[in-house]
Amino acid sequence: MIARMPNFLESPVKTLTLKKFALVLLTLTISLSAEPAQALGKATFYLKLQLGCYSANKAPTKASKWSTTNYKTLYSTSCNSAHHYEVFYTGKLKVKKLDSEAAKKEVGVACDNAALNALTGQKDLPTTLTYGYFYPDPGAEERKYGKRIICFFRVTDPKNDKFSLSINRSFREVNYI
């Protein structure tokens, strides 16, 4: 006759599983009730931006002041919640020198064409809708990211174009009808 040893792991395993379930349920409840400002993605370096929408700071419902130092870190977010920038095109420059007038001209033409393609037929666009672009600084950024360009829409404050206003919808509306 073989004696059965008590299984000391049964009870803790069931308790642990219930604790995990409760934790997952609590996490899901909190994330579903989070407001858009709390739903910001992690910080993204400006040369890694992809198509989509980004906030300039962790308070996307407020206007953001544009400066030469605060644009290199943006936060991904939904295009249907508060955001400051909507990336509508990424590509590569062909010009040899990024600090040349030829580079500015090439990126301007690329963003002009992409903006026209993105906005043709769109309605109810803000009157202060503009676009801007990023490309690497010559040197370390260029070595790491190549000649990547990022074109983005933003809405400027009519009283001061140094501020990007927060908007709650995409600049481009897709209609499949």
Side-chain angles (χ1 to χ4, degrees), residues 12-29:
V13 169
K14 287 180 183 174
T15 304
L16 186 60
T17 304
L18 288 175
K19 285 181 182 177
K20 282 183 182 177
F21 176 76
L23 182 62
V24 169
L25 186 60
L26 179 62
T27 303
L28 183 62
T29 302

Side-chain angles (χ1 to χ4, degrees), residues 119-129 169-172:
L119 296 177
T120 298
Q122 300 302 318
K123 297 177 183 173
D124 301 323
L125 294 173
T127 57
T128 60
L129 177 67
R169 70 173 184 90
S170 175
F171 296 120
R172 298 174 290 164

Side-chain angles (χ1 to χ4, degrees), residues 1-5:
M1 181 166 157
I2 300 175
R4 184 171 186 271
M5 296 292 289

Side-chain angles (χ1 to χ4, degrees), residues 42-116:
K42 64 181 181 174
T44 304
F45 184 63
Y46 81 117
L47 293 172
K48 290 185 175 183
L49 298 179
Q50 300 297 320
L51 299 179
C53 294
Y54 297 86
S55 173
N57 50 46
K58 291 185 178 183
T61 56
K62 296 180 180 172
S64 174
K65 185 171 184 179
W66 181 267
S67 78
T68 58
T69 58
N70 71 352
Y71 67 92
K72 291 195 176 188
T73 301
L74 300 173
Y75 302 89
S76 64
T77 188
S78 167
C79 289
N80 295 319
S81 62
H83 63 280
H84 299 107
Y85 306 106
E86 183 172 338
V87 175
F88 63 91
Y89 176 78
T90 65
K92 296 262 183 201
L93 290 173
K94 295 175 185 163
V95 69
K96 290 188 189 259
K97 292 183 138 202
L98 291 180
D99 56 355
S100 67
E101 286 301 314
K104 289 179 185 176
K105 183 176 181 181
E106 185 180 335
V107 74
V109 168
C111 290
D112 280 349
N113 291 335
L116 287 172

